[in-house]
Amino acid sequence: MAMVICGDFEPEKILEEVKKRLIPNEANGEIKRIYPKELETIVKNKVEQKMEVNTPLYVIGIKDKETEQEKQVKKHIALEILLNIIIGQSSGLYKKLYNDMKKTLIIALACVFAAVSAAAYDGNDWPEQSKVVKIKSSADGEIQLARYYATKSRTPKPLVVRLHAWSAHYDAPYRPLFEQLIKEDVNFICPDFRGPNERPEAMCSDLVLSDINDAIDYAIAHGNVDENEIHIIGGSGGGTATVFCYMKLQRKIKTFTAWSSITNILDYYYACKGRPQYDHYCHMIDQATSGVAREGFTPYLDKQEAMRRSPILMDVPVELRKDSKLFLFHGIHDGGTSGDVPFPQTLRFFNKVVSDFDATAQDILFTDTEMLRWMEWQVVGEPFGREKQEVLVKRNYKDKVIVCLIDAGHSMAEGHELDALHGVDPLMPRDPNFFFKID
Protein backbone atom coordinates (compact mmCIF):
# COMPACT_ATOMS: atom_id res chain seq x y z
CA MET A 1 0.00 0.00 0.00
CA ALA A 2 1.20 3.52 -0.73
CA MET A 3 -0.13 6.74 0.81
CA VAL A 4 0.55 10.20 -0.59
CA ILE A 5 -0.16 13.31 1.51
CA CYS A 6 0.09 16.88 0.26
CA GLY A 7 -0.45 20.18 2.03
CA ASP A 8 0.31 21.81 5.35
CA PHE A 9 0.49 19.06 8.01
CA GLU A 10 2.59 17.83 10.92
CA PRO A 11 4.32 14.50 10.06
CA GLU A 12 4.21 13.23 13.67
CA LYS A 13 0.41 13.60 13.89
CA ILE A 14 -0.08 11.92 10.52
CA LEU A 15 2.06 8.93 11.63
CA GLU A 16 0.04 8.62 14.84
CA GLU A 17 -3.21 8.51 12.85
CA VAL A 18 -1.73 5.86 10.54
CA LYS A 19 -0.63 3.71 13.49
CA LYS A 20 -4.18 3.78 14.95
CA ARG A 21 -5.51 2.22 11.76
CA LEU A 22 -2.90 -0.52 11.35
CA ILE A 23 -4.13 -4.06 11.94
CA PRO A 24 -1.75 -5.87 14.30
CA ASN A 25 -0.20 -9.05 12.91
CA GLU A 26 0.74 -11.97 15.07
CA ALA A 27 4.29 -13.25 14.71
CA ASN A 28 4.51 -16.40 12.59
CA GLY A 29 7.70 -17.61 14.19
CA GLU A 30 11.30 -17.33 13.13
CA ILE A 31 12.09 -17.81 9.44
CA LYS A 32 14.82 -20.41 9.05
CA ARG A 33 16.91 -20.48 5.91
CA ILE A 34 18.63 -23.75 5.14
CA TYR A 35 21.75 -23.62 3.02
CA PRO A 36 23.33 -26.92 1.95
CA LYS A 37 26.92 -27.31 3.10
CA GLU A 38 29.34 -27.02 0.19
CA LEU A 39 32.21 -29.50 0.38
CA GLU A 40 35.69 -28.06 -0.10
CA THR A 41 36.85 -31.12 -2.04
CA ILE A 42 36.79 -31.39 -5.85
CA VAL A 43 34.20 -33.77 -7.29
CA LYS A 44 36.36 -34.85 -10.26
CA ASN A 45 39.91 -33.85 -11.11
CA LYS A 46 39.47 -34.37 -14.84
CA VAL A 47 36.63 -35.05 -17.25
CA GLU A 48 37.44 -36.05 -20.82
CA GLN A 49 34.70 -36.69 -23.36
CA LYS A 50 34.72 -37.33 -27.09
CA MET A 51 31.80 -35.75 -28.89
CA GLU A 52 31.02 -34.35 -32.33
CA VAL A 53 31.99 -30.68 -32.04
CA ASN A 54 33.26 -28.24 -34.64
CA THR A 55 36.37 -27.29 -32.65
CA PRO A 56 38.06 -28.87 -29.59
CA LEU A 57 37.21 -27.34 -26.22
CA TYR A 58 39.55 -26.92 -23.26
CA VAL A 59 38.18 -25.62 -19.95
CA ILE A 60 39.83 -25.10 -16.56
CA GLY A 61 37.61 -24.90 -13.47
CA ILE A 62 38.74 -23.58 -10.09
CA LYS A 63 36.82 -24.39 -6.92
CA ASP A 64 36.91 -21.08 -5.09
CA LYS A 65 35.82 -19.71 -1.74
CA GLU A 66 34.23 -16.40 -0.93
CA THR A 67 36.79 -13.73 -0.09
CA GLU A 68 36.47 -10.69 2.14
CA GLN A 69 36.31 -7.52 0.07
CA GLU A 70 39.51 -6.02 1.47
CA LYS A 71 41.43 -9.17 0.45
CA GLN A 72 40.10 -9.38 -3.11
CA VAL A 73 42.87 -7.34 -4.76
CA LYS A 74 45.54 -9.50 -3.12
CA LYS A 75 43.69 -12.61 -4.25
CA HIS A 76 43.35 -11.24 -7.80
CA ILE A 77 47.13 -10.69 -8.02
CA ALA A 78 47.84 -14.17 -6.63
CA LEU A 79 45.49 -15.75 -9.17
CA GLU A 80 47.17 -13.89 -12.04
CA ILE A 81 50.59 -15.17 -10.95
CA LEU A 82 49.35 -18.76 -10.63
CA LEU A 83 47.53 -18.68 -13.96
CA ASN A 84 50.60 -17.27 -15.68
CA ILE A 85 52.65 -20.15 -14.29
CA ILE A 86 50.09 -22.77 -15.32
CA ILE A 87 48.76 -21.51 -18.67
CA GLY A 88 50.67 -18.32 -19.45
CA GLN A 89 52.70 -17.78 -22.61
CA SER A 90 55.91 -18.99 -20.92
CA SER A 91 54.30 -22.16 -19.50
CA GLY A 92 55.13 -25.65 -20.70
CA LEU A 93 51.48 -26.29 -21.58
CA TYR A 94 51.27 -23.21 -23.79
CA LYS A 95 54.50 -24.18 -25.57
CA LYS A 96 53.28 -27.73 -26.15
CA LEU A 97 49.96 -26.56 -27.59
CA TYR A 98 51.68 -23.99 -29.78
CA ASN A 99 54.20 -26.52 -31.08
CA ASP A 100 51.34 -28.89 -31.84
CA MET A 101 49.64 -26.05 -33.77
CA LYS A 102 46.55 -26.35 -31.56
CA LYS A 103 45.70 -22.69 -31.94
CA THR A 104 42.09 -23.14 -30.95
CA LEU A 105 43.22 -24.40 -27.57
CA ILE A 106 45.55 -21.42 -27.14
CA ILE A 107 42.59 -19.14 -27.79
CA ALA A 108 40.57 -21.02 -25.18
CA LEU A 109 43.38 -20.72 -22.62
CA ALA A 110 43.63 -16.99 -23.17
CA CYS A 111 39.88 -16.63 -22.68
CA VAL A 112 39.94 -18.76 -19.52
CA PHE A 113 42.81 -16.65 -18.13
CA ALA A 114 40.90 -13.44 -18.72
CA ALA A 115 37.63 -14.83 -17.36
CA VAL A 116 39.12 -16.29 -14.17
CA SER A 117 41.17 -13.14 -13.47
CA ALA A 118 38.07 -10.98 -13.87
CA ALA A 119 36.04 -13.38 -11.73
CA ALA A 120 38.43 -12.79 -8.83
CA TYR A 121 36.73 -9.44 -8.40
CA ASP A 122 33.35 -11.21 -8.26
CA GLY A 123 31.58 -7.99 -9.35
CA ASN A 124 32.46 -6.33 -6.05
CA ASP A 125 35.08 -3.94 -7.36
CA TRP A 126 32.45 -1.28 -7.94
CA PRO A 127 31.48 1.48 -5.52
CA GLU A 128 28.38 0.37 -3.61
CA GLN A 129 26.53 3.55 -4.66
CA SER A 130 26.37 2.26 -8.26
CA LYS A 131 23.90 -0.38 -9.39
CA VAL A 132 23.21 -2.76 -12.26
CA VAL A 133 20.20 -1.80 -14.37
CA LYS A 134 18.32 -3.49 -17.22
CA ILE A 135 17.64 -1.56 -20.42
CA LYS A 136 15.36 -2.90 -23.15
CA SER A 137 16.81 -2.44 -26.63
CA SER A 138 14.80 -0.13 -28.86
CA ALA A 139 16.16 -2.06 -31.86
CA ASP A 140 15.40 -5.72 -31.12
CA GLY A 141 13.91 -5.86 -27.61
CA GLU A 142 16.94 -7.58 -26.05
CA ILE A 143 17.75 -6.70 -22.44
CA GLN A 144 21.04 -4.86 -22.00
CA LEU A 145 22.70 -4.67 -18.60
CA ALA A 146 24.55 -1.55 -17.53
CA ARG A 147 26.33 -0.19 -14.47
CA TYR A 148 24.69 3.08 -13.45
CA TYR A 149 24.95 5.92 -10.95
CA ALA A 150 22.57 8.89 -10.73
CA THR A 151 23.58 12.17 -9.15
CA LYS A 152 21.97 13.14 -5.84
CA SER A 153 22.11 16.81 -6.81
CA ARG A 154 18.98 18.84 -7.53
CA THR A 155 21.01 20.77 -10.10
CA PRO A 156 21.49 18.96 -13.45
CA LYS A 157 24.92 17.32 -13.62
CA PRO A 158 27.04 15.97 -16.52
CA LEU A 159 26.71 12.40 -17.75
CA VAL A 160 29.83 10.31 -18.39
CA VAL A 161 29.36 7.27 -20.65
CA ARG A 162 32.23 4.81 -20.09
CA LEU A 163 32.57 2.21 -22.89
CA HIS A 164 34.18 -1.13 -22.05
CA ALA A 165 37.24 -2.69 -23.72
CA TRP A 166 37.33 -5.11 -26.68
CA SER A 167 36.94 -8.39 -24.76
CA ALA A 168 35.08 -7.03 -21.73
CA HIS A 169 31.53 -6.52 -20.50
CA TYR A 170 29.73 -3.62 -18.82
CA ASP A 171 30.85 -4.80 -15.38
CA ALA A 172 34.62 -4.68 -15.98
CA PRO A 173 36.05 -2.88 -12.92
CA TYR A 174 37.14 0.76 -13.31
CA ARG A 175 36.94 1.57 -9.60
CA PRO A 176 39.28 4.62 -9.42
CA LEU A 177 37.39 6.34 -12.23
CA PHE A 178 33.94 5.71 -10.78
CA GLU A 179 34.96 6.59 -7.25
CA GLN A 180 36.05 9.96 -8.63
CA LEU A 181 32.75 10.41 -10.49
CA ILE A 182 30.77 9.57 -7.35
CA LYS A 183 32.93 11.94 -5.32
CA GLU A 184 32.04 14.69 -7.81
CA ASP A 185 28.42 13.43 -7.82
CA VAL A 186 28.41 13.12 -11.61
CA ASN A 187 26.01 10.78 -13.46
CA PHE A 188 27.66 7.82 -15.16
CA ILE A 189 26.62 4.74 -17.08
CA CYS A 190 28.68 1.84 -18.39
CA PRO A 191 26.59 -0.05 -20.99
CA ASP A 192 27.26 -3.56 -22.27
CA PHE A 193 26.47 -2.87 -25.97
CA ARG A 194 26.47 -6.61 -26.84
CA GLY A 195 29.58 -7.51 -24.81
CA PRO A 196 32.92 -8.70 -26.26
CA ASN A 197 33.53 -8.18 -29.97
CA GLU A 198 33.14 -11.83 -30.90
CA ARG A 199 29.78 -12.02 -32.67
CA PRO A 200 28.00 -10.11 -35.45
CA GLU A 201 25.78 -8.22 -32.99
CA ALA A 202 28.89 -6.60 -31.44
CA MET A 203 31.92 -4.72 -32.89
CA CYS A 204 30.66 -1.44 -34.34
CA SER A 205 27.29 -2.86 -35.38
CA ASP A 206 24.01 -0.99 -35.71
CA LEU A 207 22.88 -2.75 -32.51
CA VAL A 208 25.94 -1.43 -30.65
CA LEU A 209 25.04 2.10 -31.68
CA SER A 210 21.42 1.61 -30.65
CA ASP A 211 22.40 0.12 -27.27
CA ILE A 212 24.70 3.03 -26.41
CA ASN A 213 22.00 5.50 -27.42
CA ASP A 214 19.46 3.59 -25.30
CA ALA A 215 21.84 3.74 -22.33
CA ILE A 216 22.11 7.52 -22.65
CA ASP A 217 18.31 7.80 -22.89
CA TYR A 218 17.99 5.64 -19.75
CA ALA A 219 20.43 7.80 -17.79
CA ILE A 220 18.58 10.96 -18.82
CA ALA A 221 15.17 9.48 -17.93
CA HIS A 222 16.27 8.19 -14.52
CA GLY A 223 18.69 10.90 -13.41
CA ASN A 224 19.19 14.64 -13.29
CA VAL A 225 21.32 15.03 -16.43
CA ASP A 226 22.57 18.21 -18.06
CA GLU A 227 22.00 17.18 -21.68
CA ASN A 228 24.55 19.75 -22.85
CA GLU A 229 27.22 17.98 -20.80
CA ILE A 230 27.33 14.41 -22.12
CA HIS A 231 30.84 12.91 -22.39
CA ILE A 232 31.82 9.55 -23.93
CA ILE A 233 35.16 7.92 -22.99
CA GLY A 234 36.87 4.59 -23.64
CA GLY A 235 40.19 2.83 -24.13
CA SER A 236 41.29 0.12 -26.57
CA GLY A 237 38.02 -1.52 -27.73
CA GLY A 238 36.22 1.14 -25.71
CA GLY A 239 38.16 3.74 -27.69
CA THR A 240 37.01 2.01 -30.86
CA ALA A 241 33.39 2.27 -29.70
CA THR A 242 33.99 5.92 -28.76
CA VAL A 243 35.23 6.96 -32.22
CA PHE A 244 32.44 4.83 -33.75
CA CYS A 245 29.95 6.93 -31.77
CA TYR A 246 31.71 10.08 -32.95
CA MET A 247 31.07 9.05 -36.54
CA LYS A 248 27.60 7.53 -36.24
CA LEU A 249 25.72 8.45 -33.05
CA GLN A 250 22.91 10.80 -34.05
CA ARG A 251 22.87 13.04 -30.99
CA LYS A 252 24.90 15.95 -29.70
CA ILE A 253 27.78 14.95 -27.42
CA LYS A 254 30.07 17.52 -25.84
CA THR A 255 33.33 15.49 -25.75
CA PHE A 256 34.66 12.17 -26.95
CA THR A 257 37.89 10.84 -25.39
CA ALA A 258 39.48 7.75 -26.98
CA TRP A 259 42.69 5.96 -25.94
CA SER A 260 44.58 3.38 -28.04
CA SER A 261 41.69 2.96 -30.47
CA ILE A 262 41.26 0.49 -33.33
CA THR A 263 39.91 2.61 -36.18
CA ASN A 264 40.61 0.30 -39.15
CA ILE A 265 39.48 -3.22 -38.25
CA LEU A 266 40.90 -4.84 -41.39
CA ASP A 267 44.37 -3.35 -40.81
CA TYR A 268 44.19 -4.38 -37.16
CA TYR A 269 43.34 -7.96 -38.17
CA TYR A 270 46.50 -8.25 -40.24
CA ALA A 271 48.57 -6.54 -37.53
CA CYS A 272 47.52 -9.32 -35.12
CA LYS A 273 47.76 -12.19 -37.63
CA GLY A 274 50.84 -14.30 -37.10
CA ARG A 275 51.54 -12.99 -33.59
CA PRO A 276 50.43 -15.87 -31.34
CA GLN A 277 49.76 -13.67 -28.32
CA TYR A 278 47.23 -11.64 -30.33
CA ASP A 279 45.90 -14.27 -32.73
CA HIS A 280 42.73 -14.71 -30.67
CA TYR A 281 41.67 -11.20 -31.73
CA CYS A 282 41.68 -12.43 -35.33
CA HIS A 283 39.37 -15.27 -34.31
CA MET A 284 37.03 -12.75 -32.65
CA ILE A 285 36.96 -10.59 -35.80
CA ASP A 286 36.29 -13.70 -37.90
CA GLN A 287 33.18 -14.38 -35.80
CA ALA A 288 32.05 -10.76 -35.71
CA THR A 289 32.24 -10.37 -39.49
CA SER A 290 31.01 -13.78 -40.69
CA GLY A 291 29.19 -15.47 -37.79
CA VAL A 292 29.81 -17.58 -34.69
CA ALA A 293 31.21 -21.09 -35.13
CA ARG A 294 28.58 -23.83 -35.35
CA GLU A 295 28.20 -27.30 -36.81
CA GLY A 296 29.14 -27.20 -40.48
CA PHE A 297 30.37 -23.58 -40.35
CA THR A 298 33.85 -22.21 -39.63
CA PRO A 299 34.12 -18.43 -39.12
CA TYR A 300 36.22 -16.52 -41.63
CA LEU A 301 37.31 -12.95 -42.22
CA ASP A 302 34.69 -11.09 -44.26
CA LYS A 303 36.85 -8.21 -45.51
CA GLN A 304 33.96 -6.12 -46.77
CA GLU A 305 32.17 -6.38 -43.43
CA ALA A 306 35.37 -5.52 -41.53
CA MET A 307 35.75 -2.40 -43.68
CA ARG A 308 32.07 -1.48 -43.29
CA ARG A 309 32.49 -1.52 -39.51
CA SER A 310 35.75 0.47 -39.47
CA PRO A 311 35.24 4.01 -38.10
CA ILE A 312 38.00 5.42 -40.31
CA LEU A 313 35.99 4.51 -43.41
CA MET A 314 32.88 6.36 -42.20
CA ASP A 315 32.05 10.00 -42.83
CA VAL A 316 32.17 12.62 -40.07
CA PRO A 317 28.72 14.18 -39.47
CA VAL A 318 30.29 17.64 -39.70
CA GLU A 319 27.21 19.68 -38.83
CA LEU A 320 26.36 17.48 -35.83
CA ARG A 321 29.95 17.57 -34.50
CA LYS A 322 30.74 21.25 -35.11
CA ASP A 323 30.47 22.01 -31.36
CA SER A 324 31.92 18.71 -30.10
CA LYS A 325 35.51 18.01 -29.08
CA LEU A 326 37.37 14.82 -29.93
CA PHE A 327 40.44 13.87 -27.84
CA LEU A 328 42.66 11.11 -29.25
CA PHE A 329 45.58 9.51 -27.36
CA HIS A 330 47.95 6.69 -28.29
CA GLY A 331 51.23 5.30 -26.93
CA ILE A 332 54.12 5.12 -29.38
CA HIS A 333 55.13 1.63 -28.14
CA ASP A 334 51.64 0.22 -28.78
CA GLY A 335 51.72 -2.34 -31.56
CA GLY A 336 55.47 -2.73 -31.15
CA THR A 337 57.21 -3.46 -27.86
CA SER A 338 54.06 -3.03 -25.78
CA GLY A 339 50.52 -3.76 -26.96
CA ASP A 340 48.54 -4.96 -29.95
CA VAL A 341 47.13 -1.76 -31.55
CA PRO A 342 49.66 0.09 -33.77
CA PHE A 343 49.64 3.83 -33.03
CA PRO A 344 49.12 4.83 -36.73
CA GLN A 345 45.51 3.65 -36.22
CA THR A 346 44.90 6.85 -34.22
CA LEU A 347 47.08 9.19 -36.31
CA ARG A 348 45.36 8.18 -39.56
CA PHE A 349 41.97 8.62 -37.91
CA PHE A 350 43.00 12.16 -36.95
CA ASN A 351 43.87 12.77 -40.62
CA LYS A 352 40.47 11.44 -41.70
CA VAL A 353 38.46 13.59 -39.27
CA VAL A 354 40.42 16.78 -40.01
CA SER A 355 40.08 16.23 -43.78
CA ASP A 356 36.32 15.81 -43.46
CA PHE A 357 36.11 19.13 -41.59
CA ASP A 358 38.54 20.99 -43.84
CA ALA A 359 40.12 19.51 -46.97
CA THR A 360 42.60 22.42 -47.10
CA ALA A 361 44.14 21.72 -43.66
CA GLN A 362 46.87 19.56 -45.13
CA ASP A 363 49.71 21.11 -43.12
CA ILE A 364 48.65 19.46 -39.84
CA LEU A 365 48.07 15.95 -41.20
CA PHE A 366 50.48 13.14 -40.31
CA THR A 367 52.56 11.91 -43.24
CA ASP A 368 53.61 8.31 -43.89
CA THR A 369 57.24 9.44 -43.54
CA GLU A 370 56.57 10.77 -40.02
CA MET A 371 54.79 7.59 -38.97
CA LEU A 372 57.58 5.37 -40.34
CA ARG A 373 60.18 7.45 -38.49
CA TRP A 374 58.25 7.10 -35.24
CA MET A 375 57.85 3.35 -35.82
CA GLU A 376 61.65 3.13 -36.02
CA TRP A 377 61.92 5.11 -32.77
CA GLN A 378 59.46 2.65 -31.28
CA VAL A 379 62.12 -0.06 -31.52
CA VAL A 380 65.49 1.73 -31.32
CA GLY A 381 64.66 4.99 -29.54
CA GLU A 382 65.78 5.82 -26.03
CA PRO A 383 64.82 4.68 -23.52
CA PHE A 384 64.11 1.27 -25.05
CA GLY A 385 61.05 -0.49 -23.70
CA ARG A 386 60.30 2.07 -20.99
CA GLU A 387 57.23 4.25 -20.53
CA LYS A 388 58.09 7.84 -19.60
CA GLN A 389 54.59 9.11 -20.38
CA GLU A 390 55.88 12.26 -22.02
CA VAL A 391 54.00 13.89 -24.86
CA LEU A 392 56.02 13.31 -28.01
CA VAL A 393 53.63 14.91 -30.49
CA LYS A 394 50.50 16.99 -30.01
CA ARG A 395 48.43 18.37 -32.88
CA ASN A 396 45.00 19.87 -33.08
CA TYR A 397 42.50 21.13 -35.59
CA LYS A 398 41.08 24.30 -34.03
CA ASP A 399 39.45 23.21 -30.75
CA LYS A 400 37.53 20.37 -32.39
CA VAL A 401 40.11 17.56 -32.68
CA ILE A 402 43.18 17.06 -30.46
CA VAL A 403 45.65 14.16 -30.76
CA CYS A 404 48.59 13.26 -28.50
CA LEU A 405 51.26 10.63 -29.26
CA ILE A 406 52.83 9.74 -25.92
CA ASP A 407 55.81 7.75 -24.66
CA ALA A 408 53.74 4.79 -23.48
CA GLY A 409 52.31 1.47 -24.60
CA HIS A 410 48.72 0.20 -24.69
CA SER A 411 47.70 2.49 -21.86
CA MET A 412 45.33 5.11 -20.59
CA ALA A 413 45.86 7.70 -17.90
CA GLU A 414 44.41 6.82 -14.50
CA GLY A 415 42.95 9.91 -12.91
CA HIS A 416 42.99 11.86 -16.17
CA GLU A 417 40.14 10.21 -18.09
CA LEU A 418 37.95 13.11 -16.97
CA ASP A 419 40.18 15.93 -18.25
CA ALA A 420 37.71 16.63 -21.04
CA LEU A 421 34.85 16.79 -18.53
CA HIS A 422 36.83 19.27 -16.42
CA GLY A 423 37.89 21.35 -19.43
CA VAL A 424 41.58 20.60 -18.78
CA ASP A 425 44.09 20.88 -21.61
CA PRO A 426 45.11 17.25 -22.31
CA LEU A 427 48.87 17.60 -21.87
CA MET A 428 50.36 14.68 -19.97
CA PRO A 429 52.38 15.45 -16.81
CA ARG A 430 55.69 13.66 -16.33
CA ASP A 431 54.51 11.42 -13.54
CA PRO A 432 56.07 7.91 -13.31
CA ASN A 433 52.84 6.51 -11.81
CA PHE A 434 50.61 8.14 -14.39
CA PHE A 435 49.59 5.21 -16.59
CA PHE A 436 48.01 1.81 -16.16
CA LYS A 437 47.69 -0.83 -18.87
CA ILE A 438 44.36 -1.60 -20.48
CA ASP A 439 43.21 -5.20 -20.01
Side-chain angles (χ1 to χ4, degrees):
M1 181 185 76
M3 181 171 67
V4 179
I5 302 174
C6 300
D8 186 12
F9 62 90
E10 295 181 22
E12 294 79 7
K13 290 184 177 180
I14 292 293
L15 288 174
E16 286 299 321
E17 290 300 320
V18 170
K19 289 177 181 178
K20 292 177 184 178
R21 290 163 174 77
L22 290 175
I23 299 173
N25 288 326
E26 295 182 2
N28 293 320
E30 181 185 356
I31 298 174
K32 293 184 179 181
R33 293 178 173 82
I34 301 173
Y35 298 99
K37 186 177 180 180
E38 176 71 19
L39 298 176
E40 294 186 3
T41 56
I42 298 172
V43 178
K44 290 183 180 180
N45 289 332
K46 180 179 178 182
V47 177
E48 186 172 344
Q49 293 178 297
K50 291 185 178 181
M51 303 176 71
E52 293 185 2
V53 295
N54 191 47
T55 56
L57 300 176
Y58 185 94
V59 179
I60 292 177
I62 297 178
K63 192 172 184 69
D64 201 4
K65 300 178 183 178
E66 291 186 8
T67 307
E68 296 176 9
Q69 188 166 355
E70 59 269 17
K71 296 181 180 179
Q72 286 181 357
V73 173
K74 185 176 180 180
K75 178 182 176 181
H76 172 73
I77 294 170
L79 272 174
E80 282 194 326
I81 294 171
L82 287 172
L83 288 170
N84 266 315
I85 293 171
I86 299 169
I87 60 176
Q89 293 177 20
S90 60
S91 68
L93 178 59
Y94 187 100
K95 183 178 180 181
K96 179 181 181 298
L97 295 175
Y98 179 67
N99 289 338
D100 291 345
M101 300 303 289
K102 302 259 179 100
K103 292 185 178 180
T104 53
L105 295 184
I106 294 175
I107 293 167
L109 288 174
C111 294
V112 168
F113 183 93
V116 175
S117 295
Y121 285 102
D122 195 27
N124 292 323
D125 202 52
W126 286 82
E128 61 182 10
Q129 298 93 327
S130 68
K131 62 180 180 180
V132 176
V133 297
K134 296 180 179 180
I135 305 171
K136 187 175 181 179
S137 168
S138 60
D140 64 357
E142 288 291 314
I143 297 299
Q144 172 190 199
L145 298 180
R147 178 67 67 165
Y148 174 61
Y149 171 79
T151 180
K152 304 299 187 293
S153 172
R154 294 184 178 181
T155 304
K157 286 292 193 85
L159 169 65
V160 173
V161 184
R162 183 27 160 120
L163 303 181
H164 65 69
W166 186 271
S167 305
H169 287 276
Y170 73 98
D171 224 13
Y174 304 112
R175 191 178 188 92
L177 169 64
F178 293 114
E179 283 182 339
Q180 181 62 33
L181 287 168
I182 291 171
K183 182 179 178 181
E184 297 181 22
D185 198 23
V186 172
N187 302 285
F188 74 73
I189 193 161
C190 187
D192 196 50
F193 57 99
R194 309 290 158 151
N197 292 322
E198 57 186 2
R199 57 193 183 113
E201 293 85 354
M203 198 183 77
C204 298
S205 70
D206 294 339
L207 289 172
V208 163
L209 202 66
S210 176
D211 284 356
I212 295 172
N213 198 53
D214 288 342
I216 295 173
D217 284 341
Y218 180 94
I220 292 172
H222 293 81
N224 196 0
V225 174
D226 181 348
E227 295 188 44
N228 295 315
E229 286 281 346
I230 300 177
H231 306 264
I232 298 179
I233 63 175
S236 190
T240 303
T242 298
V243 296
F244 175 51
C245 287
Y246 183 83
M247 303 300 259
K248 287 292 186 180
L249 190 63
Q250 294 301 304
R251 71 188 308 153
K252 290 185 177 180
I253 303 294
K254 186 170 184 178
T255 71
F256 299 81
T257 303
W259 300 79
S260 306
S261 308
I262 300 150
T263 63
N264 188 318
I265 295 171
L266 189 61
D267 283 357
Y268 175 65
Y269 183 93
Y270 289 118
C272 292
K273 197 71 176 174
R275 293 193 289 171
Q277 67 270 43
Y278 302 127
D279 207 37
H280 58 286
Y281 292 125
C282 297
H283 179 68
M284 295 175 78
I285 295 172
D286 287 341
Q287 293 196 126
T289 59
S290 66
V292 178
R294 56 188 181 275
E295 185 177 355
F297 175 75
T298 301
Y300 63 93
L301 172 65
D302 185 329
K303 294 181 181 180
Q304 292 299 320
E305 188 63 15
M307 292 171 66
R308 190 184 73 83
R309 296 180 185 226
S310 296
I312 199 170
L313 299 177
M314 301 170 185
D315 294 326
V316 175
V318 173
E319 184 63 26
L320 187 61
R321 298 289 174 249
K322 65 180 181 180
D323 297 321
S324 299
K325 290 187 179 182
L326 172 64
F327 298 96
L328 302 168
F329 300 90
H330 217 124
I332 194 170
H333 300 294
D334 199 0
T337 59
S338 174
D340 57 292
V341 184
F343 68 84
Q345 288 264 347
T346 288
L347 303 190
R348 291 194 175 107
F349 187 72
F350 173 83
N351 289 354
K352 160 66 178 176
V353 174
V354 171
S355 297
D356 279 8
F357 271 110
D358 185 355
T360 66
Q362 298 295 308
D363 55 324
I364 61 171
L365 303 186
F366 294 98
T367 66
D368 288 343
T369 301
E370 287 177 311
M371 286 186 272
L372 285 170
R373 176 158 50 86
W374 292 328
M375 290 179 77
E376 289 177 1
W377 190 94
Q378 182 184 63
V379 179
V380 301
E382 289 291 337
F384 174 75
R386 288 169 56 190
E387 296 188 354
K388 295 177 68 177
Q389 293 86 52
E390 296 177 4
V391 174
L392 303 175
V393 180
K394 180 187 178 185
R395 291 186 189 175
N396 63 282
Y397 171 69
K398 300 180 178 180
D399 64 344
K400 301 180 187 298
V401 191
I402 299 94
V403 63
C404 286
L405 182 64
I406 54 184
D407 186 3
H410 195 62
S411 311
M412 54 187 304
E414 184 172 7
H416 288 261
E417 307 98 318
L418 303 179
D419 282 355
L421 169 67
H422 298 145
V424 177
D425 186 43
L427 281 173
M428 305 298 103
R430 300 182 181 185
D431 179 352
N433 300 314
F434 189 67
F435 280 78
F436 68 92
K437 293 186 181 299
I438 302 170
D439 293 330

